[in-house]
């Protein structure tokens, strides 16, 4: 039996090339682990029936001496990223039975590299939430404490990696949906700069915010996946090629900015704050310079996010009309089909569609959407100014550790937990969550590090040198 | 103050069917969320750096279309009801 716990992509690659075990044996080991644990965790909504065939194909490639770093690496894919001829539902009843007619660009690249897809992972419906409690297919449980959430929206991907049900995973991040579940599950989650990974084939929520990103056990693993899936794509006109070279920075030369007043605002859990300060002390001991930075507009970040995101989501989700995809619930006439079919949307999705419709409606547009756009430019400008003085900015990933299932019934209280992650999506900058220790009761915590837009490589290098 | 009638109107515009009970709970939730997000109204627009000037048009030229029909079957394969090469819907007029 292969010991899954200590595996990394590089280790597996070396073992596969040396013939210590085959991709098939590795895949079998993961399948056995999934069989054992998934019933309780609910990380996967579907385990693909052809995993062994995929692994045999990878083994052929390895035998032929054509192995790339990701050949034979078993991955979990969030249920809102399309894989041709496989189901994708965004954890929603409105896409039940939908089979993707094409590959997302990120998937196409992973396929070309020979990666293996184990299955599709649970998430909040249409990625709307921070706990997977909004999935139409039940909550994903946290491997560290099954009475608690795994985070979200990419909770299934986070739990799968943490519980060794996949070596790494893809998630999507609109306001923290890769970083927060990674922090709740004690793994690494990376949200790239906006546009660096093509959104083609990602089921859209907030198109100016959405990013596909890796969840992995180490920064190195996250980087390997990121390097495979990034790049300009003619099928996503907002995609860009990374231009900035990934220079190496020594810890001793590092200037880390801390937006103190933002971090220490109301609502941060005492253990989270203590853990954050301890992380900073460790960095300081290692030689990094810790500097206070002021980003006054960050106080508007969450409000700005909860206007722009529902506005974009309400427009994006108009396409689910019972005509083009998924099931149709028949009503008395055409318009009734539309209403009846959209009754398949869950509560949170309906709430955000109504909220988005409100902030975009004539009479309220200027007061909400217009002002949110203005706040967004201020936040961007604040970050640009701050990155003139420091190399990276650090904040906790989440103000609280994983909460108990059912604890956050009030939607606004759940939204407030996104305070530290939404800022990177609003500004379009890269941000990563790395494990920073545990609470007394053993729940994982994460340190979030952000860098300038386009400095994804620098950010990853810094994380490698400090972790 | 968000009234139940406002929610009903919005739901109709968004093609969401909401019963009495959901309308009530939506009114309460939306009211609370708007109460929080309205703080953006304190942003002074003249203070904002017009960064959006830096944004560029990313639309491609309306040229070089793909060969007609090559994706038709794939796309029609996911519609709930079809009739040959057509998407089938109920009578509209």
């Amino acid at each position: 039996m292969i010991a899954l716990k200590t595996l990394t992509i590089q280790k597996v690659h070396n073992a596969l090339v040396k013939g210590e075990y085959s991709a098939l044996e590795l895949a079998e080991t993961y399948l056995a682990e999934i069989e054992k644990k998934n019933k309780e965790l609910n990380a996967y909504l579907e385990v693909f029936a052809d995993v062994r065939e995929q692994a045999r194909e990878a083994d052929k490639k390895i035998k032929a001496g054509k192995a790339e770093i990701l050949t034979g690496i078993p991955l979990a894919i969030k249920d809102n990223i399309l894989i041709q001829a496989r189901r994708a539902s965004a954890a929603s009843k409105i896409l039940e039975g939908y089979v993707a007619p094409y590959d997302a660009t990120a998937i196409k690249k992973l396929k070309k590299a020979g990666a293996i897809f184990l299955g599709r992972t649970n998430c909040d419906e249409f990625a709307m939430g921070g706990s997977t409690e909004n999935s139409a297919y039940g909550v994903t449980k946290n491997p560290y404490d099954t009475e608690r959430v795994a985070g979200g929206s990419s909770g299934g991907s986070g739990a799968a990696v943490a519980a060794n049900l996949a070596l790494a995973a893809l998630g999507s991040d609109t306001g923290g949906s890769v970083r927060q579940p990674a922090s709740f599950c004690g793994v690494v989650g990376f949200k790239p700069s906006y546009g660096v990974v093509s959104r083609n084939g990602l089921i859209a929520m907030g198109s100016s915010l959405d990013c596909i990103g890796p969840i992995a056990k180490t920064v190195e693993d996250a980087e390997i996946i990121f390097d495979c899936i990034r790049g300009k794509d003619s099928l996503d006109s907002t995609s860009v090629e990374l231009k900035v070279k990934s220079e190496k920075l020594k810890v001793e030369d590092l200037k880390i900015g801390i937006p103190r007043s933002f971090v220490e605002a109301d609502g941060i859990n005492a253990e989270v704050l203590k853990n954050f300060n301890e992380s900073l002390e460790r960095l300081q001991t290692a030689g990094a310079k810790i500097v206070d930075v002021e980003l006054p507009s960050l106080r508007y970040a969450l409000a700005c996010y909860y206007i722009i995101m529902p506005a974009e989501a309400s427009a994006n989700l108009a396409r689910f009309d019972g005509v083009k995809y998924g099931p149709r619930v028949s009503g008395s006439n055409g318009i009734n089909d539309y209403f009846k079919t959209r009754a398949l949307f869950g509560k949170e999705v309906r709430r955000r569609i109504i909220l988005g419709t409100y902030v975009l409606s004539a009479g309220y547009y200027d007061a909400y959407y217009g002002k949110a756009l203005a706040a967004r430019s201020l936040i961007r400008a604040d970050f640009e100014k701050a990155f003139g003085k420091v190399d990276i900015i650090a904040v906790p990933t989440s103000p609280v550790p994983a909460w108990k299932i059912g604890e956050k019934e009030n939607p606004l209280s759940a939204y407030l937990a996104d305070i530290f992650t939404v800022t990177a999506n609003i500004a379009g900058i890269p941000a990563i969550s790395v494990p920073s220790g545990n609470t007394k009761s053993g729940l994982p915590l994460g340190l979030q590090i952000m860098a300038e837009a386009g400095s994804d490589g620098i950010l990853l290098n810094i994380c490698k040198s400090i972790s | 103050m968000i009234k139940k009638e406002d929610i009903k109107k919005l739901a109709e515009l968004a093609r969401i069917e909401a019963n009495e009970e959901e309308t009530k709970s939506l009114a309460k939730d939306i009211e609370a969320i708007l109460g929080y997000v309205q703080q953006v109204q304190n942003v002074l627009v003249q203070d904002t750096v017009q960064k959006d000037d830096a944004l560029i048009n990313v639309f491609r030229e309306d040229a070089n279309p793909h060969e007609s029909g090559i994706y038709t079957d794939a796309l029609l394969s996911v519609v709930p009801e079809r009739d040959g090469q057509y998407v089938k819907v109920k009578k509209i007029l």
Side-chain angles (χ1 to χ4, degrees):
Chain A
M1 214 56 174
I2 307 161
L4 299 178
K5 200 167 185 274
T6 54
L7 292 185
T8 63
I9 294 177
Q10 188 67 54
K11 275 190 203 167
V12 168
H13 175 71
N14 295 346
L16 289 174
V17 171
K18 278 190 219 148
E20 287 170 23
Y21 47 78
S22 66
L24 182 61
E25 283 168 90
L26 180 67
E28 297 269 12
T29 314
Y30 275 104
L31 288 174
E33 203 67 8
I34 293 169
E35 179 68 36
K36 229 189 316 175
K37 293 187 195 158
N38 192 55
K39 211 168 174 191
E40 180 172 24
L41 294 178
N42 196 28
Y44 285 95
L45 294 178
E46 180 187 358
V47 178
F48 298 137
D50 67 341
V51 169
R52 289 174 184 85
E53 281 143 64
Q54 293 181 57
R56 279 188 204 104
E57 282 305 307
D59 278 330
K60 271 189 218 159
K61 210 169 160 184
I62 295 162
K63 276 228 174 84
K66 287 183 191 153
E68 295 172 42
I69 181 85
L70 284 170
T71 307
I73 301 297
L75 303 177
I77 306 296
K78 187 177 181 180
D79 192 32
N80 63 351
I81 301 172
L82 306 191
I83 310 178
Q84 190 172 23
R86 296 188 196 275
R87 279 153 63 195
S89 78
S92 180
K93 295 277 181 202
I94 210 166
L95 275 173
E96 197 159 84
Y98 171 77
V99 174
Y102 64 96
D103 278 329
T105 298
I107 293 296
K108 217 181 284 168
K109 288 174 181 240
L110 289 171
K111 272 187 180 173
K112 197 165 162 267
I116 292 168
F117 305 131
L118 293 168
R120 55 190 175 100
T121 49
N122 197 13
C123 54
D124 287 291
E125 184 177 0
F126 284 99
M128 295 182 181
S131 65
T132 75
E133 288 169 295
N134 298 328
S135 165
Y137 302 98
V139 66
T140 296
K141 293 176 179 165
N142 193 310
Y144 283 82
D145 178 351
T146 50
E147 281 180 17
R148 290 177 186 269
V149 300
S153 66
S154 315
S157 290
V161 176
N164 298 306
L165 308 186
L167 185 46
L170 283 192
S172 68
D173 191 314
T174 304
S177 283
V178 158
R179 290 160 285 158
Q180 186 257 29
S183 97
F184 280 13
C185 293
V187 291
V188 173
F190 175 50
K191 180 207 100 67
S193 295
Y194 180 76
V196 171
V197 177
S198 168
R199 288 181 294 113
N200 172 50
L202 168 67
I203 297 174
M205 167 156 64
S207 301
S208 77
L209 306 156
D210 294 343
C211 292
I212 291 177
I215 294 181
K217 289 199 279 193
T218 64
V219 178
E220 285 84 355
D221 283 2
E223 185 177 33
I224 291 168
I225 293 171
F226 170 64
D227 279 338
C228 172
I229 61 177
R230 69 185 169 84
K232 190 169 169 53
D233 176 17
S234 61
L235 296 172
D236 172 4
S237 55
T238 61
S239 65
V240 289
E241 202 64 57
L242 264 189
K243 284 196 195 110
V244 182
K245 280 203 198 111
S246 48
E247 55 187 276
K248 287 227 154 83
L249 268 176
K250 281 193 217 131
V251 183
E252 305 87 81
D253 303 330
L254 207 55
K255 244 193 213 167
I256 306 174
I258 313 296
R260 275 281 163 205
S261 51
F262 178 60
V263 171
E264 289 171 9
D266 293 346
I268 184 163
N269 169 292
E271 275 193 275
V272 170
L273 186 58
K274 185 165 166 273
N275 173 271
F276 176 67
N277 286 327
E278 284 165 2
S279 301
L280 296 184
E281 277 162 31
R282 276 199 300 276
L283 288 167
Q284 207 161 16
T285 314
K289 208 177 267 165
I290 310 286
V291 191
D292 280 355
V293 282
E294 283 294 328
L295 292 97
S297 304
L298 284 192
R299 67 175 183 272
Y300 298 121
L302 195 68
C304 169
Y305 176 77
Y306 275 98
I307 292 170
I308 290 176
M309 174 273 298
E312 293 184 7
S314 70
N316 271 325
L317 269 59
R319 76 190 65 177
F320 297 99
D321 54 6
V323 173
K324 298 188 281 290
Y325 342 76
R328 172 189 297 168
V329 182
S330 199
S332 53
N333 55 28
I335 191 85
N336 249 318
D337 283 4
Y338 204 163
F339 277 102
K340 296 269 180 228
T341 303
R342 284 165 74 82
L344 296 171
F345 280 136
K347 213 170 168 193
E348 178 62 19
V349 176
R350 297 151 74 82
R351 195 181 286 128
R352 293 196 194 189
I353 290 174
I354 300 282
L355 185 59
T357 308
Y358 180 89
V359 298
L360 289 177
S361 53
Y364 298 109
Y365 182 96
D366 289 336
Y368 289 96
Y369 191 68
K371 286 285 190 174
L373 289 184
R376 188 176 197 170
S377 0
L378 284 179
I379 292 165
R380 277 204 192 121
D382 272 4
F383 271 113
E384 270 173 39
K385 217 170 120 196
F387 284 125
K389 293 182 206 143
V390 295
D391 304 301
I392 51 174
I393 291 175
V395 296
T397 307
S398 166
V400 288
W403 54 83
K404 283 218 162 117
I405 294 167
E407 190 184 315
K408 287 194 191 292
E409 272 195 1
N410 167 357
L412 186 59
S413 79
Y415 295 177
L416 293 174
D418 298 340
I419 182 93
F420 294 137
T421 44
V422 297
T423 53
N425 301 78
I426 290 170
I429 59 177
I432 188 166
S433 176
V434 291
S436 63
N438 297 75
T439 63
K440 264 186 228 133
S441 59
L443 296 174
L445 297 169
L447 174 70
Q448 186 185 195
I449 305 176
M450 301 178 262
E452 209 173 0
S455 293
D456 302 54
I458 297 176
L459 178 62
L460 291 164
N461 275 337
I462 289 172
C463 288
K464 280 188 282 181
S465 65
I466 62 183
S467 57
Chain B
M1 184 68 193
I2 297 282
K3 293 195 219 72
K4 262 187 357 195
E5 290 66 45
D6 300 328
I7 296 292
K8 276 191 185 147
K9 178 80 191 140
L10 289 167
E12 198 187 318
L13 289 170
R15 307 292 184 251
I16 297 281
E17 210 175 46
N19 60 24
E20 200 57 25
E21 196 188 327
E22 192 181 3
T23 308
K24 229 166 100 187
S25 83
L26 273 170
K28 198 174 127 237
D29 294 343
I30 302 284
E31 172 92 13
I33 297 163
L34 290 175
Y36 178 82
V37 301
Q38 69 183 3
Q39 55 180 295
V40 295
Q41 285 159 14
N42 300 330
V43 173
L44 296 171
V45 175
Q46 58 262 42
D47 284 357
T48 64
V49 192
Q50 279 304 321
K51 268 289 155 201
D52 292 358
D53 293 350
L55 299 179
I56 48 153
N57 178 21
V58 293
F59 286 112
R60 63 169 173 81
E61 287 302 312
D62 187 13
N64 309 318
H66 60 74
E67 195 189 318
S68 177
I70 54 172
Y71 300 119
T72 308
D73 262 334
L75 293 174
L76 281 173
S77 71
V78 297
V79 309
E81 259 187 284
R82 70 187 274 191
D83 185 355
Q85 294 294 82
Y86 294 97
V87 175
K88 201 171 166 185
V89 291
K90 289 206 173 80
K91 203 166 86 178
I92 291 167
L93 288 173

